[in-house]
Amino acid sequence: MPDTTDADGLTVGQVSARVGVTVRALHHWDEIGLARPSLRTAAGYRLYTAGDLERLHRIVVYRELGLGLDRIGAVLDDPAADVPGALRAQREQVTERIDRLQQLGAGLDRMIDAHQCGLLLTAEQQAAMFGPRWNPDWPAQARQRYGDTKQWQQYAERSASRGPEEWQAVADEVAELDRALGDAMDTGVEPGSPEAHRLVERHREVFASYFPLTRQMQVCLARRYEADPGFAAHYDGIRTGLAAWFRRIVDADARAHGIDPDTATWQ
């Protein structure tokens, strides 16, 4: 490689600024033979010529298109290389990546909406699935009350992954549980009985469609069912007094597991 003066070429730092790549990258490309500067100064410093700079610009373009350095080297140095074919193959990969990113974007939009709204269903869909006693304002009220909790995050993440069919399955489970609770109260199932314990456990399992429910949390929830006019009206619409009866069987189950219902907290 001939000696030259600084005026005959560009230094690594100058090329880095002009081409828009780091000095480290230029050194790496030099080491692997992808883009070696053609000149040296009398002091031994490497300099890039106009031809070197043109090669670097092509490398940057191909790299931005997603070609690996080995593939770029083959495209630049092999006279028989099928450049259009390589670019078409890369175009297919880019198209697939765009499709995946679009799907990811749609999923993120659903996740954002779920965190903000709870249910990704219209009021009409909610009424059709959950019945006439369902209040479409409940998800918004729940977000106001629990929006900064881990449980709301879990609920939102599950909601984002569900469509109408999945929610219909949840609604069917909830409706069947409501019927079972009403029938059990009608037949005189006593709090603390094996049948009552099974119903309490079933409630926790069904409720897990929204988020995991501990026994302490279930106590708090059952008391809210009884105290909140909206929830009480829902359960009393199934059977008069059902909200209070459900609270009693939950309290009895909690005591059977060593939990004092009067001191239970949302945890």
Side-chain angles (χ1 to χ4, degrees), residues 50-71:
D52 297 334
L53 199 62
E54 174 60 29
R55 181 180 177 90
L56 284 169
H57 280 301
R58 294 183 68 192
I59 291 171
V60 170
V61 170
Y62 287 138
R63 189 179 65 162
E64 289 180 349
L65 291 175
L67 271 68
L69 296 182
D70 291 342
R71 187 60 174 154

Side-chain angles (χ1 to χ4, degrees), residues 118-119 121 126 129-130 134 138-139 142 150-162 166-175 177-178 202-213 217 221 225 231 234-235 266:
L119 279 175
L121 300 169
Q126 294 178 45
M129 290 180 189
F130 299 111
W134 175 262
W138 282 344
K150 178 178 69 174
Q151 288 74 35
W152 180 263
Q153 295 173 6
Q154 294 169 326
Y155 167 60
E157 289 165 5
R158 297 181 185 194
S159 178
S161 66
R162 290 182 179 140
E166 290 83 4
W167 274 119
Q168 185 63 64
V170 172
D172 292 343
E173 286 187 338
V174 171
L177 173 62
D178 286 346
R202 183 177 171 187
H203 173 263
R204 290 177 63 241
E205 292 173 355
V206 170
F207 198 91
S209 297
Y210 304 106
F211 56 80
L213 191 70
M217 291 163 63
L221 192 64
Y225 287 168
F231 283 116
H234 169 76
Y235 284 99
W266 188 262

Side-chain angles (χ1 to χ4, degrees), residues 36-262:
R36 287 177 172 159
S38 299
L39 304 176
R40 285 184 184 273
T41 67
Y45 295 107
R46 295 178 176 181
L47 296 175
Y48 291 83
T49 66
D52 297 334
L53 199 62
E54 174 60 29
R55 181 180 177 90
L56 284 169
H57 280 301
R58 294 183 68 192
I59 291 171
V60 170
V61 170
Y62 287 138
R63 189 179 65 162
E64 289 180 349
L65 291 175
L67 271 68
L69 296 182
D70 291 342
R71 187 60 174 154
I72 293 173
V75 167
L76 294 179
D77 298 329
D78 183 359
D82 180 10
V83 177
L87 294 177
R88 280 193 293 270
Q90 189 63 25
R91 177 72 174 105
E92 292 177 1
Q93 294 181 24
V94 170
T95 300
E96 293 175 358
R97 192 178 307 134
I98 290 172
D99 290 341
R100 290 195 298 271
L101 289 173
Q102 288 176 336
Q103 293 173 9
L104 177 60
L108 288 171
D109 286 341
R110 285 185 61 82
M111 187 71 74
I112 292 169
D113 290 343
H115 274 274
Q116 292 178 337
C117 306
L119 279 175
L120 301 184
L121 300 169
T122 66
E124 292 76 13
Q125 287 175 318
Q126 294 178 45
M129 290 180 189
F130 299 111
R133 287 187 294 269
W134 175 262
N135 183 349
D137 292 332
W138 282 344
Q141 293 172 3
R143 182 181 183 276
Q144 290 178 351
R145 181 179 291 268
Y146 305 113
D148 59 349
T149 66
K150 178 178 69 174
Q151 288 74 35
W152 180 263
Q153 295 173 6
Q154 294 169 326
Y155 167 60
E157 289 165 5
R158 297 181 185 194
S159 178
S161 66
R162 290 182 179 140
E165 291 184 359
E166 290 83 4
W167 274 119
Q168 185 63 64
V170 172
D172 292 343
E173 286 187 338
V174 171
E176 180 56 34
L177 173 62
D178 286 346
R179 285 191 291 270
L181 290 172
D183 292 344
M185 191 185 79
D186 285 345
T187 58
V189 171
E190 292 292 331
S193 66
E195 177 62 20
H197 288 322
R198 283 192 292 270
L199 286 168
V200 171
E201 185 63 26
R202 183 177 171 187
H203 173 263
R204 290 177 63 241
E205 292 173 355
V206 170
F207 198 91
S209 297
Y210 304 106
F211 56 80
L213 191 70
T214 67
R215 286 191 168 83
Q216 290 212 47
M217 291 163 63
Q218 188 180 31
V219 169
C220 298
L221 192 64
R223 295 189 172 205
R224 179 163 174 76
Y225 287 168
E226 182 181 27
D228 183 275
F231 283 116
H234 169 76
Y235 284 99
D236 289 345
I238 299 170
R239 296 288 194 283
T240 300
L242 183 60
W245 177 83
F246 180 68
R247 191 266 304 164
R248 289 198 297 273
I249 68 170
V250 170
D251 281 0
D253 183 80
R255 292 189 188 95
H257 288 87
I259 298 169
D260 181 357
D262 293 330

